[in-house]
Amino acid sequence: MKGMMMHRPLLVSEILEFGAGAYPNAEIVSVRTEGDVHRETYPEFRNRTVQLAHALKAQGVELGDRVATLAWNGYRHMELYYAISGIGAICHTINPRLSAEQLIYIVNHAEDKLLFLDTTFVPLIAAVKDHLPKDLRYVVMTDAGHMPDAPYEVLCYEDLLAGQSTDIEWPEFDEDTASGLCYTSGTTGNPKGALYTHRSTVLHGMMMSVMQSSTFKEGASVMPVVPLFHVNAWGLPYSSLISGMNMVMPGPAMDGESLFKLMDAEKVFSAWGVPTIWQGLLGEIKKQGRKPEGFEDVVIGGAAAPRSMIEAFEKMDVGVGHAWGMTEMSPVGTHGVLPKWMDDEPFDVRVDYKSMQGRRCIGVDLKIVDEEGNRLPHDGKAVGELFVRGNTVVSGYFKNEEATAKALDADGWFGTGDVAKIDEHGFMSIQDRAKDLIKSGGEWISSIDLENVAMSMPGIANAAAIGVKHPRWDERPILVAVAAEGVEQPSIDEIRDHLSSHFAKWQLPDDIVWVETLPMTATGKISKLNLRKDLADYTHPELRESA
Ligand code: AMP
């Protein structure tokens, strides 16, 4: 028997109307490419979004059309998120750090109709424009007074909005209609498009508000440093409006000094981003001898948060939430909020738990499997490939039958390509990307674990562990590291000594290679692929000796 409750489609426009109506004083504060700080309240944001929706219709944008954005975190990018999806078109966010080749591929693959870009990216498009669709039109996200001299025809964002009505009857359509498109930054092959629906986006937004309920206090300020141009800024564009948080957008200025200044001025309570961003902020905190005023919560994800980073934040009373997810998961899958019963655990035990990637979010199922696909127990010991299932997980890839055919296992679970263990409380610990695990003498070594402990040494600012060829053991681990400024560089023996309390002898790295910087991917992770290419001529010390 079916229940007798109304069925209203879950639509992104509902979040906008809810946020603007429920929290009239909440603000979106943005550092602009124009150089100043802009403020608008949620109702002002809602009205401008409605004007933009009318402007898009006037430009001929229809249900299902793709409209691309190439922009920093700011209020106009937020307006695009809601206006494009609100009228039933698809907001295609483009990561400006992709290679020219990948950018050309995805704009052509998505068949974007309009492309909105920040002034910063006008030259980037000029360089590739000849390879983009001929009928694609460009809108620069600024006002008439700041329009750059573009070497191609461009429209002006504020001119499009001017004079448009602030009244709208948002269209209603099926909740499974596509609302957003984000391409993975896959290091091999062409990027693959995750095509979100209104339903998955609304559910993910609500899920994130629930997961953050202990820190998402209405009227407090949250700062997404995680970009709106990739992985939906971890759902913050939606969860902030659901919970009534002020949003503080850093724009292009994401170095430690700029972030500190903005956080201090806006009393940012909760800040979200990848570990490399927080390395910069921690450096500035050290320099200033204090943390930014009002800063109490940091969410770290996108790559494993080093234990030393978690300790540093926790010691200054900034609570760390360690989150894990993927483009294909909207993107958040697990989140490391500790339960109340862990309040009295010693500091080190709490940091142990925070170093893991947390527990699954409501609506996300996790399983780990062995090489034959058999489920492994959640006992904190068994390590296997991680599969996920849920309403916020992709069921395939946009216009890519080959990748779609490979995405799910026979039971309909999505293979993440990550290797993990899960303990009896549900805490998940990512061990590696499957392809980055180091296999020595038939036994696996987690590169993430090695990196984590190595980075707790004062002389090491950043580290990556990779496997190199070895005639007897197949592969042996080595460390590639960036030295910390002003601290003596440790020797390989000192490093091995430091690591030996955490690892078995055979797991210790055989060598260390010092580098100026580590290669990064477009999404702020260490690029092991490029690192291996950089070290193509490297030979293991034993081979050097025998040569
Ligand atoms: P992306 O689709 O760009 O968000 O990349 C997703 C991948 O980033 C995951 O499959 C993981 O390999 C990695 N990742 C994300 N968050 C974490 C985390 N907290 N710890 C370790 N790896 C992570």
Side-chain angles (χ1 to χ4, degrees):
M1 186 190 292
K2 278 199 165 184
M4 294 172 65
M5 300 304 283
M6 288 186 197
H7 185 280
R8 305 278 304 138
L10 299 173
L11 299 179
V12 165
S13 52
E14 163 62 10
I15 300 181
L16 176 71
E17 293 297 339
F18 170 77
Y23 313 114
N25 297 327
E27 277 187 316
I28 300 178
V29 181
S30 315
V31 175
R32 301 202 295 181
T33 49
E34 287 91 335
D36 56 354
V37 173
H38 173 273
R39 319 182 81 89
E40 66 185 13
T41 61
Y42 275 10
E44 286 164 345
F45 162 65
R46 179 261 171 210
N47 286 350
R48 281 173 51 86
T49 302
V50 170
Q51 288 182 306
L52 177 60
H54 290 306
L56 289 170
K57 293 296 282 181
Q59 289 298 317
V61 176
E62 298 291 342
L63 193 80
D65 282 345
R66 271 77 70 196
V67 177
T69 67
L70 190 60
W72 303 110
N73 288 5
Y75 65 106
R76 291 188 184 112
H77 206 170
M78 281 286 292
E79 291 162 4
L80 283 159
Y81 258 65
Y82 280 96
I84 297 169
S85 310
I87 62 168
I90 300 167
C91 180
H92 170 206
T93 54
I94 302 177
N95 184 342
R97 298 191 188 116
L98 292 177
S99 67
E101 195 188 331
Q102 288 174 323
L103 197 146
I104 292 165
Y105 171 82
I106 65 170
V107 174
N108 281 294
H109 188 262
E111 299 173 87
D112 294 318
K113 197 159 187 175
L114 280 176
L115 192 156
F116 285 77
L117 67 165
D118 266 336
T119 50
T120 329
F121 301 120
V122 169
L124 188 88
I125 288 299
V128 294
K129 191 176 166 294
D130 288 350
H131 305 282
L132 300 182
K134 297 285 166 270
D135 53 354
L136 179 59
R137 281 166 298 142
Y138 302 88
V139 184
V140 180
M141 295 161 65
T142 190
D143 54 35
H146 291 89
M147 281 298 278
D149 255 342
Y152 46 95
E153 203 181 314
V154 287
L155 299 165
C156 169
Y157 187 95
E158 293 299 335
D159 285 357
L160 289 188
L161 262 67
Q164 295 288 358
S165 166
T166 55
D167 288 333
I168 197 164
E169 195 73 50
W170 289 107
E172 273 194 19
F173 34 75
D174 190 295
E175 63 185 13
D176 284 322
T177 303
S179 63
L181 175 64
C182 178
Y183 284 77
T184 60
S185 55
T187 41
T188 48
N190 284 323
K192 296 176 284 198
L195 190 60
Y196 312 111
T197 64
H198 280 260
R199 173 183 154 82
S200 70
T201 304
V202 173
L203 288 175
H204 185 270
M206 295 201 286
M207 174 184 102
M208 288 309 291
S209 288
V210 171
M211 294 310 290
Q212 283 299 130
S213 55
S214 60
T215 55
F216 261 33
K217 301 175 184 165
E218 180 189 338
S221 296
V222 61
M223 181 175 74
V225 188
V226 51
L228 272 83
F229 61 64
H230 185 62
V231 291
N232 304 314
W234 297 346
L236 282 170
Y238 309 104
S239 57
S240 300
L241 264 82
I242 292 171
S243 295
M245 303 287 285
N246 297 316
M247 298 184 81
V248 179
M249 305 287 209
M254 288 179 277
D255 59 286
E257 194 184 338
S258 308
L259 289 179
F260 189 106
K261 211 168 125 206
L262 180 66
M263 291 172 78
D264 218 25
E266 297 298 330
K267 300 195 176 49
V268 167
F269 172 78
S270 177
W272 296 43
V274 295
T276 41
I277 289 291
W278 303 133
Q279 253 166 6
L281 182 73
L282 282 170
E284 185 62 20
I285 290 175
K286 199 168 161 199
K287 213 157 97 196
Q288 302 236 6
R290 67 176 182 96
K291 65 176 180 176
E293 208 185 321
F295 182 30
E296 287 183 35
D297 178 61
V298 65
V299 177
I300 312 178
R307 189 187 169 91
S308 50
M309 178 174 284
I310 297 173
E311 275 175 357
F313 277 126
E314 291 279 334
K315 279 185 183 153
M316 60 179 85
D317 287 329
V318 174
V320 173
H322 189 180
W324 166 89
M326 307 183 76
T327 308
E328 288 91 332
M329 300 179 70
S330 302
V332 182
T334 65
H335 194 331
V337 176
L338 299 193
K340 180 86 185 125
W341 56 264
M342 279 192 190
D343 279 359
D344 298 328
E345 292 290 339
F347 182 80
D348 278 352
V349 174
R350 289 175 58 80
V351 173
D352 282 346
Y353 276 95
K354 293 209 168 192
S355 299
M356 297 189 224
Q357 278 74 3
R359 289 173 293 172
R360 71 189 182 98
C361 298
I362 174 84
V364 179
D365 285 346
L366 308 175
K367 72 171 178 182
I368 45 174
V369 302
D370 65 15
E371 279 167 20
E372 277 82 49
N374 303 311
R375 275 195 187 222
L376 294 169
H378 294 187
D379 59 5
K381 293 189 194 83
V383 174
E385 185 167 350
L386 180 65
F387 282 74
V388 293
R389 189 174 66 173
N391 287 313
T392 56
V393 180
V394 293
S395 58
Y397 291 99
F398 179 52
K399 287 192 347 196
N400 189 335
E401 280 173 25
E402 196 189 332
T404 296
K406 288 190 212 145
L408 309 185
D409 73 6
D411 299 322
W413 293 68
F414 174 80
T416 65
D418 284 339
V419 173
K421 53 186 176 183
I422 302 172
D423 77 8
E424 45 291 340
H425 299 300
F427 278 87
M428 181 184 79
S429 165
I430 296 280
Q431 301 296 294
D432 236 322
R433 291 292 296 161
K435 59 186 182 328
D436 292 337
L437 266 176
I438 302 165
K439 199 169 191 185
S440 176
E443 297 286 342
W444 295 108
I445 304 171
S446 156
S447 66
I448 293 184
D449 281 353
L450 281 179
E451 290 155 8
N452 240 322
V453 184
M455 274 193 274
S456 67
M457 293 187 83
I460 298 185
N462 206 355
I466 56 167
V468 294
K469 286 239 160 316
H470 189 278
R472 174 148 180 230
W473 303 114
D474 196 25
E475 257 187 356
R476 286 295 301 150
I478 64 159
L479 273 182
V480 186
V482 178
E485 266 178 54
V487 187
E488 204 179 325
Q489 220 168 281
S491 66
I492 181 65
D493 288 339
E494 284 166 334
I495 293 169
R496 286 169 58 85
D497 207 39
H498 175 80
L499 294 173
S500 59
S501 52
H502 297 82
F503 298 95
K505 198 153 174 273
W506 61 270
Q507 294 175 316
L508 299 176
D510 289 348
D511 196 11
I512 179 138
V513 177
W514 295 99
V515 290
E516 289 288 312
T517 51
L518 289 167
M520 304 300 278
T521 65
T523 52
K525 306 178 216 299
I526 294 171
S527 169
K528 299 246 167 123
L529 190 80
N530 285 342
L531 192 60
R532 286 193 196 97
K533 277 190 200 150
D534 292 351
L535 294 176
D537 294 334
Y538 175 90
T539 42
H540 189 272
E542 282 172 32
L543 295 176
R544 264 178 260 158
E545 280 150 26
S546 64

